Amino acid sequence: MNARERAEWRKTHWTGGVATSHDEMDAVDLEWWLAQSAEERLACVFDMWDEQMSLKDPSHEAAGRLQRSIGGVRARRG
């Protein structure tokens, strides 16, 4: 993808603006997260975790899936 194609992609996929206070930014942030599907939110958290691990350990390789030792699926109570 060349520079022009990247710029066009950003124009169609990115949004921006100016927040004049922390409260306004918090509202924008919350609105963005609530607009994402559960799958998109999980993917973002997964990406943030991989990024944090890369900063902590430069030899870290991005995970392809969740570790099985984390837990499992359980029926909700109540």
Side-chain angles (χ1 to χ4, degrees):
M1 192 182 288
N2 64 34
R4 179 185 233 165
E5 291 169 332
R6 286 193 308 272
E8 287 301 317
W9 186 89
R10 286 192 304 268
K11 286 178 187 176
T12 59
H13 292 85
W14 288 11
T15 60
V18 176
T20 57
S21 69
H22 290 287
D23 289 338
E24 187 178 346
M25 189 63 231
D26 287 344
V28 169
D29 185 56
L30 179 61
E31 182 180 318
W32 185 86
W33 280 104
L34 292 175
Q36 306 306 306
S37 69
E39 292 83 7
E40 291 167 326
R41 287 192 301 267
L42 183 59
C44 287
V45 171
F46 210 38
D47 288 343
M48 287 187 287
W49 182 83
D50 270 335
E51 186 173 337
Q52 184 267 337
M53 289 303 296
S54 295
L55 292 171
K56 190 175 181 179
D57 177 12
S59 65
H60 172 76
E61 293 184 21
R65 62 183 176 83
L66 292 173
Q67 297 175 357
R68 291 179 186 262
S69 62
I70 288 177
V73 177
R74 294 172 186 81
R76 277 182 79 167
R77 295 182 193 175

